[in-house]
Amino acid sequence: MTDEVMRRLRRIRRLAWLLDAAVRVPGTRFRLGAASLVGLFPAAGSLVLGMVSLSIVWQAWRMGVPRVLLMRMIVNVALETLVDTVPLAGDAFDTVFKANMRNVALVERYLNVGPGPWRE
């Protein structure tokens, strides 16, 4: 694996962690990220988060991830974005589904690298 691919992988790991798991809910193993807060804004928040999530897919494409895997990643982002537009239920889905963390895990699996210290 090249240094460039590793640099991109570190970048998308950090972004996924920030969006999906940056803050632990006290007294639990449950984690929330910036997506949980931004998703509270009706529709516009969901669209902005969807576009940010697509940057992870873009970086995966630049790392040479196959199209079939990229399509799966896009489906993850689209599903989370669409469901997140539903008030309350969408926010709950977003905090559990964590499309960004799922997408990074798909990239890691493709590249045959471990989950890393950023994930529990």
Side-chain angles (χ1 to χ4, degrees):
M1 197 169 353
T2 67
D3 288 340
E4 180 66 20
V5 169
M6 286 304 294
R7 187 174 60 79
R8 289 182 194 282
L9 182 58
R10 281 192 302 273
R11 186 180 309 141
I12 66 172
R13 280 177 174 167
R14 279 191 306 263
L15 180 58
W17 178 81
L18 178 65
L19 291 172
D20 291 344
V23 178
R24 180 186 304 273
V25 175
T28 71
R29 294 190 64 205
F30 194 68
R31 299 187 76 86
L32 302 172
S36 298
L37 297 175
V38 176
L40 294 174
F41 295 100
S46 300
L47 293 175
V48 168
L49 288 172
M51 291 175 25
V52 172
S53 294
L54 285 175
S55 71
I56 292 174
V57 178
W58 171 256
Q59 290 299 322
W61 175 77
R62 294 188 70 190
M63 287 187 270
V65 170
R67 285 184 190 192
V68 66
L69 196 55
L70 293 171
M71 291 307 296
R72 185 169 173 193
M73 293 171 71
I74 289 169
V75 167
N76 285 342
V77 171
L79 178 63
E80 186 172 80
T81 302
L82 288 173
V83 174
D84 196 35
T85 60
V86 177
L88 297 177
D91 296 323
F93 178 79
D94 183 41
T95 59
V96 174
F97 187 68
K98 300 182 186 299
N100 301 302
M101 300 284 277
R102 287 174 185 265
N103 286 344
V104 170
L106 290 172
V107 172
E108 289 174 335
R109 196 172 310 131
Y110 170 74
L111 296 173
N112 290 321
V113 296
W118 62 282
R119 186 189 290 161
E120 294 183 58

